[in-house]
Amino acid sequence: MKIVILDSETVSKNDVSLDGIKALAETEIYGYTKNEDVAERIGDAEGVICNKCMITEEVFEKCTNLKYVGLFATGYNNVDTAAATRHGAVVCNVPAYSTDSVAQHTFAFVLNYFNRIAEYNETVQRGDWVNYKLFSYFYIPIQEISGMTLGIIGFGDIGKKVSEIAKAFGMNVIAYSRTEKKITEAGVEAVSLDELLERSDVVTLHCPLNESTKELINKNTLRKMKKTALLVNTSRGGVINEQDLADALNNGEIAHACVDVITYEPMREDCPLREAKNCTITPHIAWAPRKTRERLLEVVCENIKSYIDGKPQNVVND
């Protein structure tokens, strides 16, 4: 079996090994591939593995031998799964590999914001503590999160993990999801989207990007949030209308936003959030600890082996 890896640099900077994949198939590796070059690079290969490259109807039409699409990710909105099915190909993702790291990043945002870690470090570095007469200064307000209400939108593995961490901090947790049963089974209060937005001190997004969640956070939903609320997004950028969020931040409609994902990645110069007030941005790194990426590659290899054995696993298309 021949496999083409289109964007290896999205998972490895030579710090995690791709040898497991190489041991399973004849492997051709590209660090980065432009979307217009995807079909040419796949060529006559039976399999392709990618993270963000677009695998479209046109790609399947040009690459008639393509029967396996493996993802370096849980999300698969870059693959036309209906086209894959029509062309007799399976699409296999890697579920749940980044649960711990994304939940950790979510709370890195929350704690950094409410404890003002970065801001206090800046004051120390410029000499404020050296020149202060008392043992402590606290002129930048910090807050306890115990007793605050955390609202979780989307309650899969990551949403559930976030709820567990929030409870450990003494937060009140409410959640909104299509699968209300999962919420109640976890001992969390299930509420409507409107109620969640109105009650939450922190709103955190953990839902997939699809037609029902695209721009779920927009000018109308933002207006239902508290003016003191923090919005966190470690899911997909397209869940938020970025211009509406920038306007809400600039006009003081909500207090702050922390985002690890944006609609177009890498960030464009004209991204509305780039110059927005009270917005903390990290470059899609919540999933990227080395241990997490090693776990990802283990499942990628298991997916390939299962396909070769005629029993594909983690298939996301019919």
Side-chain angles (χ1 to χ4, degrees):
M1 178 181 179
K2 179 181 177 181
I3 288 177
V4 175
I5 299 175
L6 294 173
D7 49 8
S8 66
E9 290 180 16
T10 64
V11 293
S12 177
K13 302 293 186 184
N14 297 318
D15 58 340
V16 295
S17 175
L18 301 175
D19 289 348
I21 299 173
K22 295 177 186 177
L24 292 169
E26 175 190 346
T27 308
E28 190 171 333
I29 300 174
Y30 298 95
Y32 166 73
T33 299
K34 295 179 179 179
N35 283 320
E36 56 263 35
D37 297 329
V38 164
E40 180 181 352
R41 287 190 168 177
I42 294 173
D44 63 354
E46 183 179 345
V48 63
I49 304 175
C50 64
N51 196 324
K52 298 301 179 187
C53 290
M54 301 299 294
I55 310 298
T56 63
E57 174 82 56
E58 182 181 4
V59 169
F60 285 108
E61 289 175 351
K62 291 182 176 179
C63 304
T64 55
N65 289 339
L66 184 60
K67 300 301 176 186
Y68 177 82
V69 179
L71 288 151
F72 286 132
T74 301
Y76 50 91
N77 51 293
N78 58 311
V79 181
D80 187 334
T81 54
T85 301
R86 285 194 297 272
H87 290 268
V90 295
V91 182
C92 301
N93 75 338
V94 183
Y97 76 95
S98 63
T99 299
D100 290 338
S101 63
V102 175
Q104 175 180 312
H105 200 81
T106 298
F107 271 89
F109 275 147
V110 171
L111 297 174
N112 180 67
Y113 173 68
F114 285 111
N115 282 71
R116 299 297 200 259
I117 301 295
E119 293 165 73
Y120 269 109
N121 177 63
E122 289 177 6
T123 72
V124 171
Q125 296 302 321
R126 68 174 179 244
D128 289 12
W129 204 7
V130 170
N131 297 312
Y132 200 68
K133 62 183 178 181
L134 301 177
F135 80 98
S136 171
Y137 57 86
F138 39 86
Y139 50 75
I140 304 171
I142 61 177
Q143 301 175 63
E144 288 186 357
I145 62 173
S146 179
M148 288 186 179
T149 296
L150 179 87
I152 303 172
I153 297 178
F155 206 81
D157 292 327
I158 296 172
K160 182 179 178 182
K161 186 70 175 184
V162 167
S163 75
E164 293 169 357
I165 298 171
K167 288 179 181 179
F169 276 110
M171 302 184 81
N172 303 312
V173 183
I174 58 178
Y176 165 75
S177 174
R178 292 181 304 170
T179 52
E180 186 174 312
K181 185 179 179 182
K182 288 184 178 180
I183 299 173
T184 54
E185 286 177 346
V188 172
E189 182 184 357
V191 297
S192 67
L193 177 60
D194 285 352
E195 184 176 351
L196 183 144
L197 295 171
E198 291 166 1
R199 288 175 55 187
S200 297
D201 300 296
V202 180
V203 174
T204 180
L205 304 172
H206 300 290
C207 50
L209 176 60
N210 53 42
E211 286 304 313
S212 64
T213 62
K214 184 179 180 182
E215 298 190 357
L216 181 69
I217 301 301
N218 54 56
K219 61 184 178 181
N220 295 320
T221 49
L222 285 162
R223 286 170 183 161
K224 295 173 182 177
M225 293 174 62
K226 296 179 179 181
K227 289 185 179 295
T228 55
L230 169 67
L231 175 67
V232 178
N233 188 17
T234 55
S235 59
R236 286 290 183 266
V239 176
I240 294 176
N241 181 306
E242 291 173 350
Q243 187 60 61
D244 287 355
L245 176 56
D247 292 342
L249 291 166
N250 292 333
N251 296 330
E253 293 178 20
I254 66 170
H256 201 95
C258 297
V259 300
D260 185 54
V261 288
I262 55 175
T263 301
Y264 298 104
E265 297 172 348
M267 177 183 278
R268 297 178 178 179
E269 286 190 12
D270 62 352
C271 175
L273 298 179
R274 189 175 177 217
E275 302 296 335
K277 296 178 182 177
N278 303 317
C279 189
T280 301
I281 304 173
T282 53
H284 205 145
I285 59 169
W287 68 284
R290 179 173 177 172
K291 181 178 179 181
T292 311
R293 288 180 287 121
E294 288 174 342
R295 186 184 305 118
L296 165 69
L297 287 168
E298 287 174 3
V299 181
V300 169
C301 290
E302 291 169 5
N303 285 350
I304 297 169
K305 188 175 186 305
S306 296
Y307 169 77
I308 292 171
D309 291 343
K311 301 176 181 178
Q313 64 175 18
N314 297 319
V315 178
V316 297
N317 64 317
D318 298 328

